[in-house]
């Protein structure tokens, strides 16, 4: 197939728009100056960016993988407010020499991630660049419920996670070391699979604070602690570690718990509930909030590694 430079913007748009998912809330989709959506309740908005060789590598990820990741990490941000995702705006900047087939397959990945949730791509932009850069804005709605923030946790409440952690970190380590020990954890690094809807579930069960785990349990718990002005005490033995991460760790002769505590990119939900009885089935209690803001402690100690930092790595 021709490069995107040879194909031209209008022809490229005409080729990939039919492959994009359609939002259940769409009144007017791609092709005009702006999209029109019908929403119920408050509008919830978030955005994210993926940069080639910073957030994904072409030798590791297929175009579909990149499209999936671009969608899923944004859907998780809306879910982390206790809201329902409805639509994406996607901007793609890329070198003119990029094969147009890459863009079409990228659109397929967006569709694979979004269609099961009724989420569509309703617009965006294209631009030339030296490397591939993807910016996504995700829109969601509250259906009349109150969004759940990071700021309302109180002392003496319980901290829980919605799924096992460490798979994405284990997958990343295997790829960087050129090992393929556990294909499931590698796949979960390339295509995160949080249970979209877990955030809304937490909200309906009375969660007082909520966010998705993108930069590691310790770092993200610290964000809730700071916003709510409480301490958070985590118990490492209670943190659920993904079985694929455990298996990879055995082969690599390492402890998998740091992957679960600081690895990030699993995008499962982290929530604070008023009491253990409020925690939904399938969630795991990993700690509790404490009286005064003192950051995060793991097994009573201040952790040395706090997780991923976008400017420090």
């Amino acid at each position: 197939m021709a490069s995107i430079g040879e194909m031209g913007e209008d022809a490229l748009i005409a080729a990939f728009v039919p492959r994009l998912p359609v939002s259940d809330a769409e009144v007017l989709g791609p092709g005009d100056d702006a999209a029109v959506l019908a929403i119920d309740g408050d509008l919830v908005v978030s955005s994210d960016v993926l940069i080639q060789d910073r957030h994904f590598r072409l030798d590791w990820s297929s175009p579909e993988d990149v499209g999936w990741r671009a969608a899923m990490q944004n859907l998780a941000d809306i879910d982390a407010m206790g809201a329902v995702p409805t639509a994406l705006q996607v901007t793609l900047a890329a070198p003119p020499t990029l094969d147009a087939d890459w863009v079409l397959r990228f659109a397929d990945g967006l569709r694979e991630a979004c269609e099961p949730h009724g989420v569509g791509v309703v617009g965006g932009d294209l631009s030339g660049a030296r490397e591939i850069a993807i910016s996504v804005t995700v829109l969601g709605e509250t259906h009349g419920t109150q969004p759940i923030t990071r700021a309302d946790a109180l002392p003496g409440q319980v901290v829980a996670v919605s799924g096992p952690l460490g798979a994405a970190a284990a997958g990343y380590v295997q790829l960087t070391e050129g090992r393929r020990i556990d294909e499931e954890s590698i796949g979960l690094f390339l295509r995160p699979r949080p249970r979209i809807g877990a955030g809304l579930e937490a909200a309906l069960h009375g969660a007082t604070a909520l966010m998705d785990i993108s930069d590691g349990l310790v770092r993200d718990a610290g964000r809730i602690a700071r916003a709510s002005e409480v301490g958070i005490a985590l118990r490492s033995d209670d943190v659920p570690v993904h079985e694929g991460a455990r298996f990879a760790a055995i082969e690599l002769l390492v402890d998998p718990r740091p992957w679960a505590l600081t690895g990030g990119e699993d995008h499962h939900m982290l929530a604070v509930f008023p009491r253990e009885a409020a925690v939904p089935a399938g969630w795991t209690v990993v700690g509790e909030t404490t009286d005064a803001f003192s950051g995060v402690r793991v097994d009573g100690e201040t952790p040395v590694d706090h997780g991923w930092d976008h400017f420090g790595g």
Side-chain angles (χ1 to χ4, degrees), residues 271-306:
V272 180
F273 294 92
R275 64 195 68 84
E276 190 160 350
V279 178
W283 290 61
T284 304
V285 174
V286 296
E288 57 274 328
T289 56
T290 59
D291 284 332
F293 173 58
S294 54
V296 175
R297 292 182 178 272
V298 179
D299 301 330
E301 303 292 333
T302 301
V304 175
D305 184 0
H306 287 267

Side-chain angles (χ1 to χ4, degrees), residues 139-212:
L139 309 173
E141 56 191 348
T142 60
H143 292 290
T145 61
Q146 288 295 315
I148 308 300
T149 73
R150 306 173 183 182
D152 293 319
L154 297 172
Q157 299 185 330
V158 298
V159 179
V161 296
S162 65
L165 305 178
Y172 174 77
V173 169
Q174 290 171 78
L175 289 170
T176 56
E177 296 190 6
R179 306 280 299 275
R180 300 195 76 93
I181 300 164
D182 178 69
E183 291 297 331
E184 183 180 8
S185 56
I186 292 172
L188 289 171
F189 169 70
L190 298 175
R191 294 192 182 202
R193 294 181 181 271
R195 180 168 57 86
I196 300 301
L200 178 58
E201 177 183 62
L204 295 175
H205 280 74
T208 57
L210 180 64
M211 66 181 298
D212 80 306

Side-chain angles (χ1 to χ4, degrees), residues 217-278:
L217 174 60
V218 170
R219 183 174 292 277
D220 289 331
R223 289 167 172 150
I224 288 179
R226 189 161 48 251
S228 294
E229 297 183 339
V230 297
I232 290 183
L234 299 175
R235 299 181 294 272
S236 63
D237 285 346
D238 291 340
V239 175
V241 181
H242 189 276
E243 284 302 315
R246 291 186 184 276
F247 179 69
I250 291 171
E251 293 295 313
L252 293 169
L253 303 177
V254 298
D255 182 355
R257 285 179 298 179
W259 292 340
L261 286 165
T262 63
E265 298 201 352
D266 292 304
H267 295 288
H268 292 305
M269 294 296 128
L270 168 64
V272 180
F273 294 92
R275 64 195 68 84
E276 190 160 350

Side-chain angles (χ1 to χ4, degrees), residues 26-83:
E26 181 180 304
V27 176
L28 179 64
D32 219 304
D33 291 315
V36 180
L37 301 173
I39 67 165
D40 178 18
D42 293 328
L43 180 66
V44 183
V45 183
S46 184
S47 60
D48 215 337
V49 64
L50 291 90
I51 305 295
Q52 180 183 341
D53 296 328
R54 178 68 173 173
H55 302 103
F56 66 92
R57 283 174 44 172
L58 298 182
D59 56 332
W60 289 354
S61 303
S62 70
E64 293 89 347
D65 292 338
V66 179
W68 177 286
R69 173 184 283 274
M72 195 58 70
Q73 64 188 41
N74 280 277
L75 300 185
D77 282 338
I78 296 298
D79 194 29
M81 300 299 293

